[in-house]
Amino acid sequence: MMETLTLDRLDIRILDELQRDGSLSNQILAERVGLTPAPCLRRVKTLRKTGIIRDATLRLNHRKLNLNLMAIVHVRMDQHTSERFQEFEESIAHCSEILECYLITGHEADYQLKVVIPDMDRYHDFLLGKITTIPGVSGVTSTFVMRRVVETTKLPLDYLEKRHNQKI
């Protein structure tokens, strides 16, 4: 059973600061949100325990690593069965080039993938060597990102600030 947590202004400020920089020390985080270190740490532990804070990751600069090509790939499946979808999802789970995968609706495709790779030659190899060899893939449409206009992992918390003591 999920534990219910009531978020107050300090919890929301902690979440906001950690979304900006997940590597903050507890000391610096406490200073930024106006707490002493011990209560700040207790709050962070509670936010982790309840699952509000899932994990902390480090974001890398894709260009510095020669991952210059980003593609949005729409994949169509030949059958709409749970077995076919499960087989596809298990197959792509091992593709390090795939940053995100969504099962979608309202489009001719069944899945949308966000893929990052060094160049078009490697994309060609990835597409023909991995994606189109998965049983059930009946079609693929690729679009290529020219420029990232908005890129964030930060969730909008401002709506929580308007309703203090938000039960989660």
Side-chain angles (χ1 to χ4, degrees):
M1 189 163 159
M2 293 260 317
E3 185 178 331
T4 301
L5 178 67
T6 300
L7 296 179
D8 63 16
R9 282 184 185 196
L10 289 171
D11 294 320
I12 294 167
R13 288 177 65 192
I14 288 169
L15 293 172
D16 189 53
E17 288 296 332
L18 288 175
Q19 282 192 113
R20 291 178 204 276
D21 184 353
S23 69
L24 290 176
S25 70
N26 184 60
Q27 178 72 40
I28 293 173
L29 177 62
E31 289 172 11
R32 287 190 182 176
V33 300
L35 287 171
T36 58
C40 183
L41 185 58
R42 279 194 299 275
R43 284 174 179 262
V44 170
K45 285 182 178 180
T46 300
L47 292 166
R48 286 185 190 280
K49 181 181 173 191
T50 59
I52 290 173
I53 296 177
R54 278 190 351 199
D55 54 35
T57 60
L58 184 69
R59 292 176 46 182
L60 305 176
N61 183 327
H62 65 99
R63 296 235 183 251
K64 298 270 184 185
L65 296 169
N66 196 33
L67 295 169
N68 298 314
L69 185 67
M70 180 176 287
I72 305 299
V73 182
H74 290 111
V75 178
R76 290 181 302 284
M77 302 300 291
D78 63 353
Q79 299 173 17
H80 293 143
T81 63
S82 59
E83 295 83 14
R84 188 60 99 191
F85 287 170
Q86 181 178 349
E87 187 174 8
F88 175 81
E89 291 170 17
E90 288 172 0
S91 295
I92 64 154
H94 306 291
C95 297
S96 62
E97 301 88 350
I98 299 173
L99 301 179
E100 298 173 16
C101 173
Y102 301 99
L103 177 62
I104 62 173
T105 186
H107 198 279
E108 290 183 23
D110 298 301
Y111 288 96
Q112 178 173 301
L113 312 176
K114 180 179 172 183
V115 175
V116 67
I117 206 151
D119 53 42
M120 190 59 80
D121 289 336
R122 299 260 178 77
Y123 181 75
H124 179 264
D125 296 342
F126 164 78
L127 188 64
L128 295 182
K130 292 184 180 179
I131 299 301
T132 61
T133 63
I134 298 172
V137 172
S138 64
V140 176
T141 304
S142 303
T143 56
F144 298 95
V145 175
M146 294 173 56
R147 180 171 43 105
R148 295 176 184 193
V149 177
V150 174
E151 179 184 29
T152 186
T153 60
K154 191 173 179 293
L155 295 177
L157 300 178
D158 56 333
Y159 79 96
L160 291 175
E161 293 173 356
K162 293 174 185 160
R163 297 183 296 175
H164 299 294
N165 297 325
Q166 179 73 29
K167 285 194 177 194
I168 303 293

